[in-house]
Amino acid sequence: MPALITPALVCAARHHGEHGAIARLLTPHHGLLAGYVRGGRSRAMRPVLLPGNAVKAEFRARTEEQLAGLSLELEHSRAPLLSEPLPAAAIDWACALTAAALSEGTPHPALFQALDGVLGAVEAAPAARGWAAALVRYELLLLAELGFGLDLGRCAATGGDTDLAFVSPRSAAAVSRTGAEGYESRLLPLPAFLLEGGTGEWRAILDGLRLTGFFLERSVLTGWRADVLAARERLVERLGRVVG
């Protein structure tokens, strides 16, 4: 089989054997791909395999069923961010979610662009509020790409498209204030920035994370995938401290 050479984002890596590592990368046109990195545990390769790094990847395999051998060239390192608790937690979660949620070999070009954008925002923003809303939108996009998208266009109760303020946890559809009357405690808040754009206030961002987290946990991060939720809990806890 011919080699595949592609830009990619490192999402996860784990030790394999005495010296190697298996890396999972998100690529723009081939989705999530895994490969064996010879010498992946070496001093030279460990900094390359950090989550969030942008790399040039070359996959080589004799057959489609065989785990590909993987060579990596570092294009852009985000290692300096990993010494900062909030950016490190955001990168850890976004990459862990991607590696756990996606099936290998299924193209998700919109997710590649969105994840690259979130990682760039974490790197460029002077404070967490500059990237937290983008992370919520990334989670919404991932839900939609996997077939669990939320219907935020119209009220599930009245059919109207104004004053949408809640989401039904049962139907994943928006509900207006009028339609929700008397049932507010049973619904999830729908932050306005998800409909109107912008970054949102902190309370709205936390509501957004609560919203996406509910559906990720229910529909995507089940079984063994639930292990990655610990990374999300660390991030939400640290963001909660910012709000105070």
Side-chain angles (χ1 to χ4, degrees):
M1 294 180 64
L4 170 65
I5 300 175
T6 177
L9 298 169
V10 179
C11 291
R14 61 179 174 86
H15 295 165
H16 185 79
E18 194 170 341
H19 303 291
I22 294 177
R24 307 188 79 195
L25 313 179
L26 185 62
T27 67
H29 304 298
H30 298 84
L32 191 72
L33 296 177
Y36 174 74
V37 182
R38 187 181 299 274
R41 298 176 66 176
S42 68
R43 183 177 298 179
M45 287 305 303
R46 285 199 303 268
V48 178
L49 288 171
L50 293 175
N53 280 353
V55 297
K56 180 180 179 182
E58 181 176 349
F59 294 87
R60 290 184 176 273
R62 291 189 179 92
T63 68
E64 291 186 2
E65 293 76 24
Q66 182 187 39
L67 179 66
L70 174 58
S71 300
L72 298 174
E73 180 181 332
L74 183 62
E75 301 259 297
H76 181 69
S77 174
R78 294 191 168 95
L81 295 171
L82 301 182
S83 63
E84 303 177 35
L86 259 178
I91 292 172
D92 185 30
W93 163 244
C95 293
L97 169 63
T98 304
L102 301 186
S103 299
E104 291 182 13
T106 302
H108 292 284
L111 280 178
F112 178 86
Q113 292 182 4
L115 179 59
D116 192 40
V118 169
L119 295 173
V122 172
E123 189 170 25
R129 195 169 158 222
W131 51 258
L135 181 60
V136 176
R137 292 191 179 96
Y138 179 69
E139 293 181 345
L140 275 179
L141 177 61
L142 185 141
L143 283 164
E145 288 277 316
L146 296 180
F148 302 107
L150 279 60
D151 180 3
L152 304 181
R154 289 188 175 275
C155 173
T158 68
D161 59 2
T162 59
D163 203 21
L164 302 175
F166 300 93
V167 174
S168 166
R170 295 183 63 184
S171 66
V175 183
S176 68
R177 295 184 194 281
T178 300
E181 191 170 349
Y183 296 92
E184 292 90 345
S185 63
R186 302 182 188 179
L187 304 174
L188 297 165
L190 172 58
F193 76 88
L194 291 179
L195 302 175
E196 301 168 0
T199 58
E201 298 296 328
W202 270 122
R203 292 294 178 186
I205 290 170
L206 292 178
D207 281 343
L209 287 168
R210 179 187 171 202
L211 175 66
T212 52
F214 175 86
F215 291 103
L216 285 171
E217 188 169 354
R218 185 182 77 175
S219 302
V220 177
L221 300 176
T222 58
W224 65 267
R225 293 181 174 88
D227 291 346
V228 303
L229 286 169
R232 192 176 199 274
E233 290 170 5
R234 287 192 294 271
L235 172 61
V236 173
E237 180 183 356
R238 286 171 177 165
L239 288 173
R241 292 178 195 161
V242 174
V243 178

